[in-house]
Each structure stands twice: as C-alpha cells, then as structure tokens.
Amino acid sequence: MVNLEEQLKNPVWYSLNETHKKFLVEYDGVRFYDQEVCTFGSFFDESKTKKASSQYIKTTDSFFFVSENQTPIIDDAKIFLERKIEGCQMILKQLPEVSITEDIVLLTDEYIDEVYDLIWLVMPGYYRRRTFEMGNYYGIFKDGKLVSITGQRMQTNLFIEVSAVVTHPDYTKRGFAKQLIVHTTKEILKVNKTPILHTNKGNLAIPLYQKLGYELTRDMNWWTYRKI
C-alpha cells in the first residue's frame, strides 16, 4: 500500500483509488470524480491531461485539476483556465483540548438541500448535491435552521479530509466552526485515520486551523477550468 506521505502529494488520485473508487471516471490514465459528486481531477503525467480533460468537459461545464506542483495541459480550443487557486494542505499534528458546548448533529439525507444551500451561500463553486455522499457531515442548528456545517470530503484508508467548513453570515463569531472542526477531527481519529484539510493561501481561517493543531505542509493548487 502507498504510504501516507505519498498519498497526500496527490490526494484526489488516491481517494479515487481507494475509498472513493465507486466515483471514479478515468480517461487515458487521468482520474476524475463523477461530475455529479465532485468535479476534481488528478494526474501524474500532465502530457495526458489535454486529451482526458477534453473528454471529461463533455459531462460538465467546469472542473478542477488538483496538483501540488504540476501544470496541466489543456486544449484551449475547448477549455479555458478560469483561475488558478493557490492553495495549501494542512495535517493534524496534535488536537488540543476544546470544550464542545453546542449540540452537534450528524446530518442525514433529509438535510441534503439545507447543506447545499448553506454551502453555496457562503462558499459557492465547489459543492454539488451528491458531494454529500463523500463522507459524514455534521451541523449546528439555531432558531430551527441549519447555520453551521463541517463535512468530510476526500479520503483513503489512511486519511480523511475535513471540508465544507461554513457558517451562515448571521451566526458567525460564536465558535460554531471551531467546535465542528474539533468534532469532525475526533470522528476521523476514532477510525484511526489522519485528519487533513485544504484551503487557499492567505485564508483568514488558517490561524484557527493552526490553533486546533493543524500544520501547513505543502502547496496544493486548484486549476479551475471552464468549457468554452
């Protein structure tokens, strides 16, 4: 089995090789998620991304290639680079003691629409309704509605990614995200996997992640492409 360090260099690839194999769509050795679940793509050989992305774009209007340091090649007659998100990867080193004072709920299928609407309100672009199938989602409810979420996204036999950390703008600065991250991290540790997360460089949430025991480890860039 490929060790954790190698998996984390190409997390989309190895997620689709293991835990998320059922979501795999592959063209010429380039791996993508089923676009109904997630629009992330991965590769080792960038010379194959031109042909593969031209096939995948037939199924979706846009997608992301996720890479630490390689630059994908595309057919610019069919696809254009919308933007490159300079991101980073963080790995849990040690989780500090944090009090959980809120009632944190495991979100079932009945909350799919509420999860989708809240994520798109706060952080549009990444999430699709079937992204909910990638892992467990947890939430905090106030005034009869879902106001804060944390979920699990990419994962293998060795790691699980904390993702979808969002709080409704009317309910920020109450410590909801902090408690949800801690809760989700503990759930990952219970199954003896390493918690990781990804974010963009300069994200104002990075100091919070660091206070919760996550350390910056490597770049992880998100090349965002759209159909012409």
Side-chain angles (χ1 to χ4, degrees), residues 11 15 40 134 151-156 159-163 184 188 194-199 222:
S15 293
F40 294 168
M134 294 176 74
Q152 300 172 352
R153 192 168 59 179
M154 293 184 281
Q155 52 184 294
T156 70
F159 73 81
I160 298 179
E161 178 195 23
V162 178
S163 185
T184 305
I188 294 168
T194 297
I196 72 166
L197 58 84
H198 294 99
T199 189
W222 309 77

Side-chain angles (χ1 to χ4, degrees), residues 35 38-40 56-57 59-64 79-80 82 120 125 128 223-227:
Q35 61 85 20
C38 177
T39 55
F40 294 168
Y56 186 64
I57 199 65
T59 70
T60 183
D61 290 330
S62 62
F63 69 93
F64 302 83
I79 302 168
F80 70 94
E82 187 170 59
W120 271 82
R128 301 199 169 196
W223 302 81
T224 311
Y225 295 99
R226 189 166 294 277
K227 182 186 296 183

Side-chain angles (χ1 to χ4, degrees), residues 11 33 40 52 70 79 88 118 124 136 164 179 186 204 206 208:
Y33 273 90
F40 294 168
Q70 291 174 280
I79 302 168
C88 51
L118 181 54
N136 291 333
Q179 293 187 44
K186 286 181 176 180
L204 296 177
I206 288 176
L208 170 61

Side-chain angles (χ1 to χ4, degrees), residues 5 15 19 60 87 112 116 124 185 189 200 219 223 225 228:
E5 178 65 18
S15 293
T19 308
T60 183
I112 288 176
Y116 178 87
T185 299
L189 293 172
N200 56 299
D219 290 348
W223 302 81
Y225 295 99
I228 291 177

Side-chain angles (χ1 to χ4, degrees), residues 4 8 11 40 66 87-93 95 150-155 159-165 177-178 180-182 184-185 188 193-201 203-222:
L4 178 63
L8 292 177
F40 294 168
V66 183
C88 51
Q89 185 180 91
M90 303 183 76
I91 300 176
L92 182 74
K93 295 303 179 184
L95 184 67
T150 299
Q152 300 172 352
R153 192 168 59 179
M154 293 184 281
Q155 52 184 294
F159 73 81
I160 298 179
E161 178 195 23
V162 178
S163 185
V165 182
K178 178 181 180 180
L180 281 165
I181 293 166
V182 170
T184 305
T185 299
I188 294 168
K193 296 188 182 184
T194 297
I196 72 166
L197 58 84
H198 294 99
T199 189
N200 56 299
K201 291 180 179 179
N203 188 336
L204 296 177
I206 288 176
L208 170 61
Y209 300 146
Q210 291 174 321
K211 287 179 181 178
L212 296 179
Y214 285 85
E215 293 185 359
L216 291 164
T217 55
R218 59 169 46 85
D219 290 348
M220 193 58 63
N221 298 304
W222 309 77

Side-chain angles (χ1 to χ4, degrees), residues 161-173:
E161 178 195 23
V162 178
S163 185
V165 182
V166 297
T167 300
H168 191 284
D170 294 340
Y171 293 85
T172 58
K173 299 182 180 180

Side-chain angles (χ1 to χ4, degrees), residues 42-56:
S42 59
F43 60 94
F44 278 101
D45 183 353
E46 63 265 37
S47 70
K48 295 184 176 183
T49 59
K50 181 176 181 178
K51 181 178 178 181
S53 58
S54 294
Q55 289 295 112
Y56 186 64

